[in-house]
Amino acid sequence: MKSCGVTVATTTSFGDEAKKMAAGKASGESKEGSLSLTAEEEEVLGGLDSRLFGFVRVHEDGARTKALLDKAVRCYESLILKAEGKMESDFFCQLGHFNLLLEDYPKALSAYQRYYSMHSDYWKNSAFLYGLGLVYFYYNAFHWAIQAFQEVLYVDPSFCRAKEIHLRLGLMFKVNTDYESSLKHFQLALIDSNPCTLSSVEIQFHIAHLYETQQKYHFAKEAYEQLLQTENLSSQVKATVLQQLGWMYHNGDLLGDRTTKDSYAIQYLQKSLEADPNSGQSWYLLGRCYSSIGKVQDAFISYRQSIDKSEASADTWCSIGVLYQQQNQPMDALQAYICAVQLDHGHAAAWMDLGTLYESCNQPQDAIKCYLNATRSKSCSNTSTLAGRIKFLQASNAHHPKTEPVLCLSQTPILQQSLPVHMISSSQVDGLSSPAKRKRKSSPTKLLEQLCANKDNLNTGEKLMLEQLESQFVLMQQGLHKGQRSHLSEPNDEQLPFSTGPVQYLQPASTGIKKQTAHQTLPSNSLTHGVPLNHLSSHIATSIGQQDTAFTKDSKPSGNRSLVPETSRHAGDTPNGCVVVKGLSNHVERLTAEPVCSPNNGNCTSPNLLISDSSQIPTSLFGKASDNVGTGACDKASNIHPAVYTKTNSVTSSPSSVISTTTPSKSTEQKATHTVTSLTSPQSRLLTINGEGIDNLQISERTDMSIINHKSSPQIIPSMCVSIYSSSTEVLKACRNLGKNGLYNSRIFSDKCPPPRPPTSPYPPLPKDKLNPPTPSIYLENKRDAFFPPLHQFCTNPKNPVTVIRGLAGALKLDLGLFSTKTLVEASNEHVVEVRTQLLQPADENWDPTGTKKIWHCESNRSLTTIAKYAQYQASSFQESLREENEKRMQHKEYSDNESTSSDFSGKRRKGPFKTIKFGTNIDLSDDKKWKLQLRELTKLPAFVRVVSAGNLLSHLGHTILGMNTVQLYMKVPGSRTPGHQENNNFCSVNINIGPGDCEWFVVPEDYWGVLNDFCEKNNLNFLMSSWWPNLEDLYEANVPVYRFIQRPGDLVWINAGTVHWVQAVGWCNNIAWNVGPLTACQYKLAVERYEWNKLQSVKSVVPMVHLSWNMARNIKVSDPKLFEMIKYCLLKVLKQCQTLREALITAGKEIMWHGRTNDEPAHYCSICEVEVFNLLFVTNESNSQKTYIVHCQDCARKTSGNLDNFVVLEQYKMEDLLQIYDQFTLAPSLTSSSSYCPVNIK
């Protein structure tokens, strides 16, 4: 069964109960006019599921399909009502698909919910997961959409809509500022030759814009210019690319002087307007460029064009206000700022400029109110500066007599209270004040017309506004003399907010979209930092309607999770921003974005954007108002997809131990305006099952149906009845002919296990007095103590997440001087050192660069140097510290209160700015010729901590993995940080402090890594890839225990499997470290779990667990039953995969060429998706002929070349050899020697 084809399934029945019900009502059909489906309709419906979303016509010329789906939904809902919900689970899944294709998302969500609650193996149905992901995507619940899409790719790597999934994952990671993941998924979408809702040109635009978002301007410029060279480039794509280039020259860090860059910026923007003269955004940006070089009249003309071409923009009015203020026209500037804050009350730049205006006009009280409004915006980036200014004005106002204001309050009723009082009637202001109603009629130009039309009925304030607007527009039309460049706060002086999902008219072929005026969105933290991105454009395919969505980043909950996380109308929490998606009714017709606010403005939307408030979501998706998500049963099943977060302790645990389908009681309450109720709560059900009826559905006629096909052949993973005790012959027999209909899957988990997920926090939670446990420590006095067998057993005990072995160097007489900086310089002074530039901070705190708030993101920028240069830096840092110490001693002589002085220094240290330091890391000591003396010295260590030993899993890899089965050295100055992490594939690690200074360690047990993963997601960080430093206060509040200790020179720190840790140097020191893999069931289990989690997260596993498992089977005999079963099961899965794939290739007529392996040849990974590729390597014809052997996995090869014509298949192992290894790997008798520390025998 190939998963990439959508075929029409044969019709099936509902079941006996449905048949009886249909037959019982048949006699009344003609009288009641009941609906029924013909055999042809049933056959068509049988082939419709979520995989056709965006590729099947349901509007306009597809009215027939829409009518059929509507009819099927009515029939299904009628049957559900009559059967009181007692239907098969697949019935609800198909109903969800139908509603999804009809873009009825609330009903789709309810139907998918029922399927989830009834089907324990829901995760095996990739079509269901895909449909659920699309629904989450529609509601901007990106956290859950990402999880659903990742699970689709995990359970079905060859899923036919994999390209669409990679596209959407790229967009969502882009919004979440996880740029590395975003780029990877965009590239995966780009190489896929299957159909998608975006063209390759549009995906390339996203990649270019991604570089721009990261301020990698040279990469972005190169990518944009390459796009412009594309043949048959549409005018809208061309206009947007030119617009991006223009603004990047104006605002980016590109080569050239200011004059040259401004000249290029204007040229590109003018070319963009030639391609699209109706782009209000390009006119606005052109005005900004003219304003920056003092061409005031040209700037006003451009701004006026922007207002005429697009809808009301707070950015434009703010910029107009800046120009008026430059020209010393305070009243006109005042009105422009008023327009800006009426359009966008959270526009921090406009409020700050308005405050500056009032200050210049001797109205400090009004200035204070404006500054306060600016600080209330979450997007305000200089809150501390404004707070200081407010205090200064308040103090000055108290000590100085009041002066005559230039702008009296009678003229400006907008500031008679802290929030603006609109000067026109509420009905007129409504279009301005509500982001959901920002249509063209809300433009100030239209306001002027409205005021003129009602001139006789205006009150005093409205007449004043009329006069000022009339004056303002007269001046704009006449133009103004040139003025000096403004020093005021333009909207986005640094960079304009833009969509991280720019251009896209993600338009599926033959798909029409019906415009919806109340699009279901949950706007959340959504302000982008970077250059602007306009819609590509609003004039694409005029026959296709528009649908507007606020494409935003959702906050990520921890612990118990609800469908859609808490939302906000502002977005100051993230530097990335307001992603506006136009035409994205989930089949992504096109993404558009227009920057209309300052980078500090949280409520950033395009003026032509319709954003539905969360209150507009159907009541079926909300529960009662409450501040917190309900607890109790809801904790176990908080929604359709994320409910399965129960910790499992076994790789092969059954789904029943992982999944809870408990339904919460009706008393469960949830906050109505911020979150969506759990999908399993009764409030969220559109279809009730106890005779209570169907919400929002009226059935005026009795319906009965003929037999309907409700199963659309979902992609269910097949299983084979073989076990680890089956012989290789039985395995091959089970695989025979499976290649024709089976589903190739590279998982080495049990088929009974759902996709891996982070564990929840252990229950019950630890009491507060147990959150700082003592660190397990062993003190050695002599060599005998170091080789005492219980030491190894103590270290590898899973109950001990960390062990500090004190005095190891002294007990073993290790010459640590061999690893000193002086010796390293003498041995190889030009050796490469990776340098991490960091901020010097207290070990238990992590502040943003300004020192105003604690954060999780840890600054750590990468560069390269040599040992000699870093040694020089290390020495100069020490000398500088000595000078500072001497200065402090002199100060201590002058001041008697030493404690007060120390306290003051500590306070300054937290306020910033912080000193920059450099950390020398990842210095490779693998060359046994260059570092012979150093590596020989380490052979004095006990076997279980040596770099190479028979009892070390990593010694059986057969090739080198730098830093894991080789030694790495770290050169540190005080404050050098190793950010939070788990070791690669959860292997154990050994770290020895060379000295002379100390290091401080923070350690969290493996059981709690899921909690830290949640914290990383909350802080917009990738647990596996980002640089993060935990906030201890957050951990203690979440009842996470933290081991904290000092590592002194000569101490060895053993980090057990899966332990989370982060380290900071207290003094100047060097450290050496490597990884170790004890031959225990716990170590192997955690390594395989992380291998699979990495695969789901699209992260490369540094340790190739499949390759390692086969080498272990060759080299050792295992006596531990648990370890044996896990290794044997891995061999079984891989053997089945190899045989299944081999037969499929042979059946398809694809030749398999023998290639073999060389000694020390590394394991192979796909060059595209970075999954491990074992035995059968897919190599391009060109790569094979050039002997470069660029490897692809089967899925990436087929995406590039569907029939594999451009690939050759190389085989590295004879099947006979693999079968022999499999059969010969048997459970060995238990070891009787009490002195042995590993349950293995070396063959």
Side-chain angles (χ1 to χ4, degrees), residues 1019-1031:
N1019 288 275
N1020 222 24
L1021 296 167
N1022 186 311
F1023 177 81
L1024 295 175
M1025 306 300 293
S1026 298
S1027 177
W1028 45 271
W1029 192 267
N1031 183 347

Side-chain angles (χ1 to χ4, degrees), residues 176-177 553 556 573 575 854-857 1012-1022 1026 1028 1031 1034:
N176 290 349
T177 68
K553 170 184 76 66
K556 298 152 186 94
D573 296 339
K854 291 183 179 180
I855 59 175
W856 276 62
H857 174 66
L1012 274 77
N1013 179 74
D1014 289 339
F1015 275 120
C1016 285
E1017 290 179 343
K1018 281 184 177 180
N1019 288 275
N1020 222 24
L1021 296 167
N1022 186 311
S1026 298
W1028 45 271
N1031 183 347
D1034 291 342

Side-chain angles (χ1 to χ4, degrees), residues 969-1015:
L969 182 134
Y970 307 87
M971 304 174 72
K972 304 178 181 180
V973 297
S976 297
R977 288 183 163 182
T978 300
H981 67 288
Q982 290 173 300
E983 296 295 321
N984 291 322
N985 286 92
N986 283 333
F987 276 84
C988 299
S989 76
V990 173
N991 186 295
I992 300 175
N993 185 4
I994 304 301
D998 298 338
C999 291
E1000 184 168 12
W1001 288 67
F1002 301 84
V1003 169
V1004 169
E1006 184 271 337
D1007 289 345
Y1008 293 86
W1009 80 265
V1011 180
L1012 274 77
N1013 179 74
D1014 289 339
F1015 275 120

Side-chain angles (χ1 to χ4, degrees), residues 1148-1174:
K1150 189 67 180 177
E1151 181 185 1
I1152 300 175
M1153 301 173 59
W1154 171 249
H1155 183 67
R1157 283 180 60 85
T1158 61
N1159 292 333
D1160 301 326
E1161 181 178 344
H1164 293 281
Y1165 292 85
C1166 176
S1167 59
I1168 304 296
C1169 67
E1170 297 185 311
V1171 299
E1172 183 185 359
V1173 183
F1174 180 78

